[in-house]
Every structure is written in C-alpha cells, then in structure tokens.
Amino acid sequence: TAHAQDLQSILQEHQAELAKPSRTKVGPALEALTASGLPSVPVFLESLRDKQVWVADDGTFYIVRKKTVLDVATAEPVPGVELASLDQIKPNGGVRKVISEALVQFQLSDPDIVRRRDTLDAISRNLDPSQMEPLARSIEDEPDPALKRRKERLMNYLAASHPSPTTSPSTGGPCSHRSSQPRRRSRRRCPTTPTSPASWRSDRTSAANRPTP
C-alpha cells in the first residue's frame, strides 16, 4: 500500500539510526516519523519501544509479534519472510524513554478516550516539562469537555512550575513579582499558580467538574 511504502521509505532514510539506535542519534528519525502524519507511525513507535521491530539483511524493517512477521504499516502477516533471517532491534532504556516522549503527542489525541485519559494521568504523575508542547497542541481539539478542562489545568500547572522567559501571568505562568521583585517575607501564594495535580483528588468540586488526575 501507499502508506506501507511511505513508512518504509522514511525508515530506509534513517536506517542506520533505527537499526542500532542511540539516544544521541535517534532524534532525526523520530522527528521525521512524527512529522509524516502517517497513521501507522504510533504503532511502529510503540513496537520499536517494546523491542518488537526487527530488520532484514537488506535493511527492510518488520514488526514481530508472537513469532509472526508483520508489515510495519499494516501489521498484517508477511508471507515468505522467516524470523531466523531477521535481527531484533533492542533499544536501551534511554532510547525507549525518548520514544515514549515522542508517542505522547499521538496518545493525547487518540480516538480512544481511555488512552487519552491514561496519558494525561501519566503526565500528571511525572510532571515532565518536555510534555508541555504536545499537551498544549492537544487542548484545542479535545472533544470531551471534562478532559479538556483537565488538560488546561495541567497545562497551567506545568507552565507555572516550569516558566519560560516569555511566560506571563495571563498565560498561566508565575506572578511577575517573582522574577522582577525581591522575595518578600509574606507567604502569600501566587494567585495564578494552580495547586499540585496530586491535590486535585481532594478538591471539593462537584463530580461533574472534578478534574481527577
């Protein structure tokens, strides 16, 4: 299929980076894959992270599950390709972490609300500032009102906790007095700083509005 050819072509362009991936070199390959817009990319990345991608001597990539060789784009069995003729790609922990970070942008917009919610839960636990960009991109098109509120609230918390030089109070960032004025003895909390996601479970809001992380 066209998608299979397109995906395989991208993989071939970055064959060396993917066949023996390292955290310092795999970045361009991941960027090319995520920028392609191909629907098969998330499945491929999940398979690569889970050590289910194998490569043939000619450089062709396959997915292998339960000893069955599958096409990288369609996940359909590929006849005539023996598992013994392939080499397994074994990304280390650092590479798997980078792949997981790249997957977040797909998971936050997954058609399955359970996957979107699970991904948001993971971000709420880890509070990784590298997830701010994909989280922000996912908010506008989030179809579920309650989940959209959770995304907005988490985005505000991350922005306040990890301000950039351009962050302002109007965008959910820290109060301006924190960067331009000396610290005062008052312990008054900045009104624009949201509470920690860990405390959201105890918010005394209605069940319909409670943004449980």
Side-chain angles (χ1 to χ4, degrees):
T1 65
H3 277 158
Q5 181 60 48
D6 289 344
L7 178 58
Q8 193 66 250
S9 296
I10 295 173
L11 300 181
Q12 293 309 308
E13 291 174 3
H14 300 275
Q15 204 274 344
E17 302 161 29
L18 293 169
K20 295 183 178 181
S22 69
R23 185 166 186 169
T24 57
K25 297 181 179 180
V26 76
L30 298 181
E31 290 174 5
L33 288 167
T34 56
S36 71
L38 294 171
S40 51
V41 166
V43 173
F44 174 80
L45 291 179
E46 289 176 352
S47 300
L48 181 62
R49 178 196 61 192
D50 298 338
K51 302 182 182 181
Q52 295 176 337
V53 174
W54 296 54
V55 61
D57 290 339
D58 64 2
T60 303
F61 291 88
Y62 299 93
I63 294 173
V64 176
R65 293 175 184 161
K66 297 180 179 180
K67 299 183 179 181
T68 301
V69 180
L70 309 174
D71 181 270
V72 289
T74 65
E76 294 294 328
V78 180
V81 179
E82 298 294 332
L83 182 58
S85 67
L86 307 178
D87 292 321
Q88 185 181 17
I89 299 175
K90 299 178 180 180
N92 61 31
V95 174
R96 293 199 300 274
K97 183 177 186 296
V98 174
I99 295 171
S100 295
E101 292 172 354
L103 275 166
V104 167
Q105 60 183 291
F106 299 104
Q107 296 165 339
L108 284 170
S109 301
D110 194 281
D112 185 352
I113 190 174
V114 174
R115 296 201 69 181
R116 300 200 305 275
R117 189 180 293 122
D118 288 347
T119 302
L120 200 60
D121 288 344
I123 298 175
S124 298
R125 289 191 299 270
N126 299 328
L127 299 178
D128 186 347
S130 68
Q131 306 304 339
M132 292 173 64
E133 184 176 347
L135 176 60
R137 288 199 303 263
S138 74
I139 291 175
E140 182 177 356
D141 295 328
E142 172 55 55
D144 183 77
L147 198 58
K148 185 172 186 176
R149 286 194 297 271
R150 280 194 60 200
K151 287 183 176 183
E152 291 170 340
R153 190 173 183 181
L154 179 57
M155 184 65 205
N156 286 340
Y157 181 83
L158 288 171
S161 301
H162 305 279
S164 67
T166 57
T167 303
S168 65
S170 62
T171 58
C175 291
S176 59
H177 74 266
R178 289 190 171 178
S179 58
S180 61
Q181 299 294 334
R183 180 185 293 271
R184 297 182 179 180
R185 298 179 65 181
S186 171
R187 295 184 179 180
R188 180 175 59 88
R189 175 179 293 179
C190 169
T192 60
T193 302
T195 57
S196 166
S199 67
W200 293 351
R201 293 180 184 275
S202 60
D203 284 352
R204 294 182 178 180
T205 55
S206 66
N209 295 326
R210 183 178 301 151
T212 304

